[in-house]
């Protein structure tokens, strides 16, 4: 059975809820916009709002007959209670604890004010190592000539316990209203700022209280933006005859326009040379090229923001502008990702802004590679109209075409390499490519390609490795000095030189890399065998000493242990090497390609020719000859034209 008392309690709760339920009527194009506007007016989050539809909106047809939504929006009373509770809880939260730690040594403070006919006291207790309020000083301040009564017990209590940031009565005085402080409230023309100007009270006059200022503001019609902290600060530390701000409206904040956040430097002048750890600048590493890979993110559009509405002191709603949208500047070889705002590359290459559009260039054109450009690293194809000067490097994931010469440089390409005027390696130049190399000549350089090397004039004193063919097809077509490897064939007009000169070695009919790896392993295994012999001798010596003495000194015992560990390690390494050596030897034996060396002109004495690891050293010059492998011997036959079909690289000319 519901009692009368229970009904009274429920009615009281409902009344409290109704009193806290503030609402606003909002007109907007959508429910979301209406809620956003109301959140500003009610000073709360949209999640805390509830609403009633007064009149439904309509989009109309092509904008004709469009009607706004009319909503009555209010804050959920439960969230009001929760916000108040959380605000109270925050007084003891972790953030405030950090604040307390920052002012850990604050002294105690007190304020004495005369409101009406009462003497009021406010006490803030000390914190940390701060000093407490001096009781004698407070009592002395309380005992003015117009004081009629002091509650000493209350004074002592509040000085000990504090007043919880409130003014508490501790006595009475002879109040003369004519001496009261006077205040005047002034509201700015734009209704965004309210100030209080006060005159000081005379002896026996009343000070300015919080309620006095609050009442004066409401009398002037100020309904929003009242700052409790500023009023409290003014009451505690009044400023007379000077306007003091106690209320401020909420200014509208226009939404930020959409913008593009670039993941690369859009201003080329801001690209700087690389610095070492000690601050020295490497002028060969100028970092002028911004490489990107296919699918890599280049930029992202940051959407426009909605404006935040404001409110004047009189509660008048101030509308804010929403940010403007912008198109995404898409150039060539780029696209939008699935999210519709992220720009990604469709090709490997260099990213840049061209006519304000994000563009990826898969082709890089340079007048030359020198001190002006520094070393070049590019994810794409490079066309160099001039020379690659000594000491500078070129790396490309695509082709590299050089109209001039390549000096003492390192050139690496993921595609073909074309050097129209030849290579001067000066015994340090290194050219590597994943496909073929075309050049007028190669001199004193190291070359290694995955396909073929095609040269017009000559190869001199160079180390050249091709996984397919080395073909010299010009009028001179001369090989002089150096060491050449090719899996299938080497073809030239003349090989070697009449006077002997530098040693010329040609090898065909095997996998050059497998052969090089085999030679490396055999050399390493030979060194390990020698080391193992010395270790076995040392171990034997120490073990004999141990048998005779029955015990070795600690340093020799430790040395014996290390020698045994090293012996086991060498045996394991040697066993692995033997297995790899056997595998490589079997691979070379089973290689189906029968390599050939072909010379349409002369092969001079002193030239060494290996076909499938079998040597034929030319002692007297021969002409129009083909060297080939048969029945475990190198044989010589009539000259055969190159079997390999020579093609120019796509889109390039070696003329």
């Amino acid at each position: 059975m519901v009692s009368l008392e229970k009904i009274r309690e429920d009615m009281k709760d409902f009344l409290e809820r109704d009193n806290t339920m503030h609402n606003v009527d909002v007109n907007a194009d959508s429910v979301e916009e209406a809620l956003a506007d109301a959140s500003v007016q009610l000073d709360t989050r949209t999640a805390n709002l509830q609403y009633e539809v007064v009149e439904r909106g309509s989009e109309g047809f092509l904008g004709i007959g469009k009607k706004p939504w009319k909503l009555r929006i209010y804050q959920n009373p439960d969230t009001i209670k929760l916000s108040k509770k959380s605000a109270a809880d925050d007084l003891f939260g972790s953030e405030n604890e950090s604040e307390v730690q920052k002012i850990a040594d604050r002294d105690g403070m007190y304020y004495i004010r005369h409101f009406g006919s009462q003497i009021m006291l406010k006490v803030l207790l000390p914190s940390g190592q701060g000093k407490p309020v001096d009781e004698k000083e407070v009592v002395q301040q309380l005992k003015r000539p117009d004081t009629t009564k002091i509650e000493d017990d209350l004074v002592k209590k509040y000085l000990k316990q504090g007043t919880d940031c409130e003014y508490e009565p501790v006595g009475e005085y002879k109040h003369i209203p004519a001496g009261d402080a006077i205040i005047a409230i002034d509201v700015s023309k734009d209704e965004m700022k309210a100030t209080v100007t006060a005159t000081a009270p005379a002896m026996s006059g009343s000070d300015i209280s919080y309620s006095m200022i609050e009442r004066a503001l409401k009398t002037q019609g100020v309904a929003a933006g009242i700052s409790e902290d500023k009023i409290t600060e003014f009451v505690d530390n009044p400023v007379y005859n000077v306007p003091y701000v106690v209320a401020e409206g909420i200014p509208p904040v226009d939404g930020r326009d959409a913008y593009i956040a670039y993941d690369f430097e859009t201003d080329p002048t801001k690209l700087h040379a690389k610095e070492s750890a000690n601050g020295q600048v490497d002028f060969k590493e100028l970092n002028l090229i911004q490489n990107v890979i296919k699918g890599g993110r280049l930029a992202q559009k940051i959407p426009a923001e909605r404006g935040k509405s404001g409110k004047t002191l009189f509660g008048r709603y101030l509308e804010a502008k929403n940010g403007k949208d912008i198109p995404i500047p898409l150039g060539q070889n780029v696209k939008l990702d699935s999210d519709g705002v992220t720009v990604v590359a469709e090709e490997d290459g260099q990213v840049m802004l061209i006519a304000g559009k994000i563009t990826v260039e898969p082709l890089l054109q340079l007048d030359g590679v020198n001190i002006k450009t520094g070393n070049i690293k590019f994810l794409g194809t490079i066309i160099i109209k001039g020379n690659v000067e000594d000491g500078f490097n070129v790396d490309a994931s695509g082709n590299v075409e050089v109209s001039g010469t390549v000096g003492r440089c390192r050139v690496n390409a993921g595609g073909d390499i074309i050097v129209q005027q030849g290579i001067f390696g000066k015994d340090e130049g290194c050219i590597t490519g994943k496909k073929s190399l075309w050049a007028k000549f190669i001199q004193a350089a190291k070359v290694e390609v995955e396909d073929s090397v095609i040269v017009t004039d000559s190869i001199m004193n160079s180390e050249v490795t091709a996984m397919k063919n080395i073909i010299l097809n010009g009028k001179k077509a001369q090989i002089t000095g150096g060491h050449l490897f090719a899996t299938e064939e080497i073809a030239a007009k003349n090989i070697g030189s009449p006077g002997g000169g530098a040693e010329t070695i040609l090898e065909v009919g095997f996998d050059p890399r497998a052969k090089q790896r085999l030679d490396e392993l055999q050399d390493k295994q030979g060194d390990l065998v020698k080391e193992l012999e010395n270790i076995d001798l040392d171990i034997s010596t120490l073990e004999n000493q141990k048998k005779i003495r029955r015990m070795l000194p600690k340093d020799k015992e430790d040395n014996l242990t290390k020698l045994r560990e090293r012996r086991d390690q060498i045996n394991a390494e040697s066993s692995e090497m033997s297995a790899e050596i056997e595998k490589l030897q079997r691979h070379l034996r089973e290689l189906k390609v029968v390599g050939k060396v072909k010379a349409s002109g002369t092969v001079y004495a002193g030239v060494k020719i290996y076909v499938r690891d079998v040597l034929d050293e030319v002692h007297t010059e021969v002409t129009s000859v083909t060297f080939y492998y048969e029945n475990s011997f190198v044989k010589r036959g009539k000259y055969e034209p190159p079997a390999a079909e020579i093609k120019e690289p796509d889109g390039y000319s070696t003329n």
Side-chain angles (χ1 to χ4, degrees), residues 57-100:
S58 172
E59 292 291 334
F61 179 71
L62 297 178
I64 300 173
K66 184 176 181 180
K67 293 172 58 180
W69 286 77
K70 295 183 179 180
L71 304 180
R72 179 162 295 132
I73 303 174
Y74 53 89
Q75 185 175 354
N76 187 337
D78 293 335
T79 63
I80 295 176
K81 288 185 176 181
L82 286 173
S83 63
K84 289 182 177 180
K85 183 177 184 300
S86 62
D89 292 343
D90 281 346
L91 292 174
F92 306 97
S94 59
E95 293 183 1
N96 281 12
E97 287 176 6
S98 63
E99 289 290 330
V100 171

Side-chain angles (χ1 to χ4, degrees), residues 445-627:
K446 182 176 181 180
V447 175
E448 184 174 343
V449 297
E450 298 291 329
D451 205 313
S452 299
V453 173
I454 299 95
V455 175
T456 305
D457 284 353
S458 63
I459 298 177
M460 300 177 62
N461 302 317
S462 297
E463 183 178 331
V464 181
T465 300
M467 297 305 293
K468 287 189 177 179
N469 309 289
I470 299 175
I471 307 295
L472 286 82
N473 60 352
K475 292 181 179 179
K476 187 177 179 182
Q478 175 80 32
I479 298 175
T480 306
H483 199 160
L484 279 64
F485 299 81
T487 301
E488 296 179 9
E489 66 178 11
I490 299 175
K493 182 177 182 181
N494 300 313
I495 301 174
S497 59
E503 184 178 50
T504 304
I505 302 173
L506 280 63
E507 299 188 51
V508 294
F510 62 91
D511 184 338
R513 289 181 180 169
K515 180 66 167 60
Q516 290 175 358
R517 177 61 178 166
L518 179 61
D519 292 341
E520 290 175 4
L521 288 173
Q522 288 175 335
D523 290 342
K524 288 182 179 179
Q525 193 173 52
D527 294 337
L528 288 177
V529 169
K530 291 179 182 179
E531 184 182 356
L532 185 60
E533 290 175 354
N534 293 330
I535 287 175
D536 285 338
L537 181 59
D538 292 341
I539 290 175
S540 177
T541 301
L542 289 171
E543 286 178 342
N544 288 334
Q545 290 180 4
K546 190 172 183 179
K547 287 179 181 179
I548 295 172
R549 300 179 181 179
R550 296 185 180 180
M551 190 174 180
L552 289 174
K554 187 178 184 307
D555 57 340
K556 289 188 176 183
E557 187 67 44
D558 292 342
N559 189 30
L560 178 60
T561 302
K562 290 179 181 178
L563 289 171
R564 287 170 176 168
E565 290 175 353
R566 178 57 182 159
R567 180 179 62 184
D568 294 341
Q569 185 181 359
I570 289 174
N571 287 330
E573 291 179 5
S574 183
S575 177
E576 291 178 2
M577 286 183 183
S578 296
E580 189 175 354
I581 288 171
E582 184 180 350
K583 183 179 178 180
L584 289 170
Q585 288 174 336
R586 184 168 61 252
H587 166 68
L588 293 172
R589 283 195 304 270
E590 294 173 353
L591 196 63
K592 294 181 180 180
V593 176
V594 178
K596 294 183 178 182
V597 175
K598 304 173 180 181
S600 62
T602 303
V603 180
Y604 294 99
V607 174
K608 295 179 181 179
I609 295 175
Y610 290 86
V611 183
R612 297 190 67 180
D613 246 4
V614 179
L615 171 64
D616 182 357
E617 186 170 358
V618 179
H619 295 290
T620 57
E621 63 183 48
V622 292
T623 58
S624 190
V625 64
T626 296
F627 296 84

